[in-house]
Amino acid sequence: MSPRDAIMTNIRGALAAGGSDEARRKAVEARLSRPPKGVIPARGQLDDEARVELFCEMARRVTASVVRVRSHDRVPKAVSEYLRAKNLPSSIRIGDDRRLKSMPWDKFGSLEVRRGPSDGFDETGVSHALAGIAETGTVALASGKDNPTTINFLPEHHIVVVDAKDISGDLESVMGRVRKKFGKGEMPRTLNLITGPSRSGDIEQKIILGAHGPRAVHVIVVG
Amino acid sequence: MQITSPAFKQNARHALDDAQLQKALGNVRGGFIDKRQKAVDALPEFDALRDSARDIKNHTLENLDLYLEAYEKQVTAAGGHVHWAETAADARRIVLDICRMTNARTVTKGKSMITEEIELNDFLEAAGIQPIETDLGEYIIQLRGEHPSHIIAPAVHVNKEQVEADFRRVHNHLAPDRDLTEPETLLDEARRILRAKYFEADVGITGANFLVAETGSSIIVTNEGNGDLTQLLPRVHVVLASIEKIVPTLNDASQILRVLARSATGQDMSVYTTLSTGPKRNGDPDGPEQYHVILLDNGRSSMLGTEFQEMLRCIRCGACMNHCPVYHAIGGHAYGWVYPGPMGAVLTPALIGIDKGGHLPNASTFCGRCEAVCPMKIPLPKMMRHWREKEFERGLNPATQRYGLGIWAWFARRPWAYNLATSLGIPVLGMLGGRNRRFSWLPLAGGWTRHRDLPAPDSRTFRQQWRERDAIKQGALS
């Protein structure tokens, strides 16, 4: 018997007492095809503006910095202001994201825009998030050439652009968004849910920022 | 790792006498409890979410075979490989095969208790492959040649001075005047060393907090980002997970995630929750070329359908040990195997046998804090009691304890004899207590009197006092 069959036989033997196979199969198929929503905290169930405000507030609580700008055109200015304020080199790494690419980066002549995945030598990376989650101040990023995952982890500073209209109240709504975008049961290779900058409490339980991922996360909310 | 659970009593003795350890354990008693409480208080739906999380896992376990099938199908559809391992040895062999296939020399590892359970590091080293732990706590204890003493804070038993000494010993490039006195500077040093390792590694191994049947995704939850770099940069990503990590859907994972981080570290959400599905896609500029999942049973399926099935709901948050007075006193190593604290007291006998793990479910006063804080509402004290019963049935506890219980049972079944014995014994003991009303020594009670005095009883038995209390109540009513 293959190890798979042996394990399955064991499981089925142990579960034998619990209901007919047909009924179990139906219950499982039903749950997989129509995932129940469960308990959704009231915290994020707000009108549009209050939801975006909650997102900003929660992101700040997990020590991300947050700014809001009116349109995509204004993102390069916000990025360049961040770099200046943090005394960072005037250079960023971005992927192929259409929204990021079409931004007027050249208005800031001295700003170097490097494209493609991070090689580990970038001080600052810029990504466009798929969605934001207001209840926790989390951004959701999907892998791929538009926003390579290395940009989320290797640079010291990670700037995340998120559209206000993509900020949902709760995690389940973002999962719903992912289903819609990639197709039911389909996923990007990686979906990163990021809540603030990297940290560790492993030495004497003292929380320190910048463990292995970015030391700082800066969120730019558009709209 | 060598199992020292049978020597639990000696281990506990040493732990109590270890001043370094006792100092470090102060960090458990302090931080974790307050942080969790604050996060819980800020979410009115927390208890409803615990019920939801419990129900999701119960439903999953009752249909585990079907969800495993669905999960396997989705992983394969996404281009990943699923391997099944009945035992620890099978899982180790599969990991080695994958490493050999890719000519791996070094392997980076995200934090994973399951790789501790199967003793993967020693095995890989013996096969000439260098495993590198990348979680800061795991890295520290790997340098020290130790094992985790806590399931989410593996180096909680270590003080910063010890970490500095370890770094100076191993990182021999360090200048003597380089400041390594604070957690910040220690972390910077580890970050620099490990950055290079991520790029060198051929294979990255992580555990999984959840496996999602709906999509074939594995989920890891971390704060440092080490698990992400571990699975992002090497050519091959291997996920090692036990079969009960399955949840049906992304929504189910979301429900449980809400109680996981709050119970573990008091965060609303951990910094990185990462869902991985298959290897890199056409056109992806980064990510691993191969994605393997090893599904490990190692005793789990034998817990299904027994009084220990509910233990399979455990999501390894560590809240039970953070709130356990026994863990607070002795730390994790005294438990003698991979899983310490109340969850370990239930799981360890199931995985290594009650003959070896029997002391663990006995090391509890049944104060019930573990069950009260468990996000999955696992009845830990009840299951420890089941283990005690099993131990007794199999005649594994010491003869004195068995005789003592036998004598007790004889009296307990005969109220007249019980009454007689106590109404004779209690006044005698009361008199023998002398002026101080206490005993510093009593035959057969050394376990108690070695550490504290036993108060001498009142001259009347509990039952006599109860009858009097009833009589007074009756009088007051009439």
Side-chain angles (χ1 to χ4, degrees), chain B residues 240-386:
Chain B
L240 245 165
S242 48
I243 51 175
E244 85 283 9
K245 294 286 169 192
I246 290 267
V247 291
T249 69
L250 294 171
N251 291 11
D252 296 315
S254 307
Q255 293 280 297
I256 305 178
L257 280 167
R258 274 204 196 86
V259 293
L260 172 59
R262 287 180 172 91
S263 302
T265 52
Q267 291 166 284
D268 284 359
M269 183 117 171
S270 301
V271 177
Y272 301 113
T273 298
T274 299
L275 292 81
S276 305
T277 317
K280 80 172 171 190
R281 310 291 156 78
N282 266 342
D284 275 5
D286 48 26
E289 289 153 24
Q290 291 179 35
Y291 176 84
H292 298 266
V293 184
I294 302 171
L295 292 172
L296 175 67
D297 183 342
N298 210 28
R300 270 76 174 175
S301 62
S302 314
M303 292 166 72
L304 280 175
T306 72
E307 59 270 64
F308 302 108
Q309 173 167 326
E310 290 182 278
M311 190 60 216
L312 297 174
R313 289 205 300 267
C314 177
I315 52 172
R316 308 287 192 268
C317 69
C320 59
M321 57 198 76
N322 291 341
H323 290 76
C324 176
V326 177
Y327 183 94
H328 288 171
I330 61 173
H333 286 153
Y335 289 81
W337 197 54
V338 180
Y339 302 105
M343 58 78 66
V346 175
L347 193 59
T348 303
L351 300 184
I352 67 171
I354 184 67
D355 51 331
K356 293 198 196 81
H359 283 306
L360 274 43
N362 282 290
S364 165
T365 59
F366 288 161
C367 74
R369 284 168 85 183
C370 51
E371 183 176 357
V373 297
C374 176
M376 305 305 287
K377 296 202 164 171
I378 300 172
L380 291 155
K382 185 179 93 181
M383 286 191 279
M384 286 184 230
R385 214 168 50 237
H386 286 317

Side-chain angles (χ1 to χ4, degrees), chain A residues 4 12 24 31 42 135 150 156 172 179 184 187 189 191 193 195 198-200 202 204 212-213, chain B residues 45 65 69 72 134-135 137 160 191 195 214 223-224 252 255 258 271 273 275 277 281 286:
Chain A
R4 180 189 190 280
R12 289 190 179 123
R24 289 202 307 131
R31 196 175 189 98
E135 64 170 316
T150 35
E156 300 280 297
E172 282 80 351
R179 279 188 202 105
K184 174 85 178 84
M187 291 290 281
R189 183 191 70 75
L191 178 70
L193 304 174
T195 312
S198 155
R199 67 197 62 198
S200 175
D202 271 349
E204 299 194 351
H212 294 282
Chain B
E45 294 88 351
D65 51 337
E69 272 176 4
E72 181 184 37
T134 61
D135 172 84
K160 63 183 182 195
R191 177 183 169 108
R195 238 337 141 86
E214 179 189 356
N223 278 321
E224 297 185 2
D252 296 315
Q255 293 280 297
R258 274 204 196 86
V271 177
T273 298
L275 292 81
T277 317
R281 310 291 156 78
D286 48 26

